[in-house]
Amino acid sequence: MAFFNEVSKIRYEGKESRNPLAFKYYNPEEVINGKTMKEYLRFSVAFWHTLTGSGSDPFGSGTMQRPWDGKAGIELAKERALAMFEFCEKLDIPFFCFHDRDVAPEGETLAETNQILDEIIAVIAERKKSSDVKILWGTANLFSNPRFVHGAATSCNADVYAYAAAQVKKAMEATAALGGENYVFWGGREGYETLLNTDMQLESDNFARFLQMAVDYAKEIGFKGQLLIEPKPKEPTKHQYDFDVATVMGFLRKYGLESYFKMNIEANHATLAGHSFQHELHLARINGVLGSVDANQGDALLGWDTDQFPTNLYDTTLAMYEIIKNGGLHSGGLNFDAKPRRGSFEPIDLFYSHIAGMDAFAKGLKVAAKLLETGDLENFINERYGSFRYGIGKDIVEGKTDFKSLEQYALKNDRIINASGRQEMLEAILNRCILEV
Ligand code: XUL
Ligand code: CO
């Protein structure tokens, strides 16, 4: 059964190609820095946007036209699962990610819901046998159902907390059964609107207990995948607990959970937190917690999570710069947590949008590799901090100084000379590299 008959396998045709259904930069087998592009980029499709996204917004209903329109319930879920494989295979995308509730509908009771999920997971597992497509990560949707109105693992209602635990337990089992390489916790409604009704201390402690139970259960079922936390500063709640990389690191360290989790960094969440995408990737990298990436972009003029396909070459270049310096994403990947705009409603737009994102990251990879090869930025930074390699700077780095010895030094050294930071010169080097590669 084919769902996307109008599109055949997307091929690399090179940057001179004008075929919108061809890659201009993504050449899966091309070797960059000792790895193929496919291995470096580890692209992934997000089930919730590409297969279930309807295009609805607060002002109107869905617009998307899809091959499975008219189907419902379990039949619809099965069709979408099969369509996912065809879509990934046609685009040469090696992974997809899912929430429990995107792949399967809910039943009347938790037991019935679990049984429906099992049925769909079996369909995915069966189709997977004849495909190279794998699961990057699974997760639980702990935010759509009205029961999560006050949160899930940070709810004021212990019955909701228990339900959320049962749901994560099942989603971890499903992810493990499909050979998922990671499991993600995005905060959903873990946050609050007002302290007038919130016990933040209890909610934080409960959240940590919940994550500890998840760690224990992953061990118990032998799930070897990486556990990831996806920071986001706001939306749906005003104050999301997992605000950004720094906040999550502080939380994990407070509760002794830091060795079990890495970060799944989303570009649009970084910008909502007032950071650049590169800042979040860089901070995670230097702390050894850069796990995976939700590849998308926001809109500079809008203050919410627009989840657009990533096409900004500066962002993809600087992201790949961090990823190469991280030695790749290891078990993580570049998951397109992105949706075509509401006006791009035809099935073929799904192909155009993924091609746009894949080419933007492939180009970013090539430019970043070139920047690292020339060493222009690295050398500049190295030289800029040269004062810490000899004399007083070396003593500081080696921990041999205290305030008194530094005062002695400063009293004798009253001629301080600073050098230019050369920001514009470096920005021009980046531009030249983007244009040349
Ligand atoms: C929400 C978001 C989620 C997570 C998975 O902003 O990014 O889709 O990626 O729950
Ligand atoms: Co995301």
Side-chain angles (χ1 to χ4, degrees), residues 370-418:
K370 184 80 188 169
L371 275 171
L372 280 161
E373 189 191 302
T374 62
D376 287 348
L377 303 183
E378 298 279 284
N379 294 342
F380 184 85
I381 291 175
N382 209 24
E383 216 160 283
R384 188 163 184 240
Y385 293 87
S387 68
F388 285 95
R389 284 196 295 274
Y390 59 87
I392 192 71
K394 190 161 183 276
D395 287 349
I396 293 171
V397 170
E398 290 174 356
K400 290 181 182 158
T401 57
D402 56 19
F403 269 11
K404 281 184 282 178
S405 59
L406 290 174
E407 182 192 43
Q408 284 306 308
Y409 178 86
L411 285 169
K412 278 188 244 140
N413 180 47
D414 41 28
R415 216 172 76 86
I416 291 176
I417 303 162
N418 269 314

Side-chain angles (χ1 to χ4, degrees), residues 135-174:
I135 308 302
L136 187 66
W137 48 263
T139 188
N141 176 330
L142 305 176
F143 44 92
S144 295
N145 192 293
R147 77 174 62 84
F148 298 118
V149 59
H150 300 308
T154 63
S155 175
C156 50
N157 183 342
D159 286 352
V160 174
Y161 188 95
Y163 193 103
Q167 205 180 311
V168 169
K169 174 179 176 288
K170 185 75 186 167
M172 284 184 134
E173 290 163 10

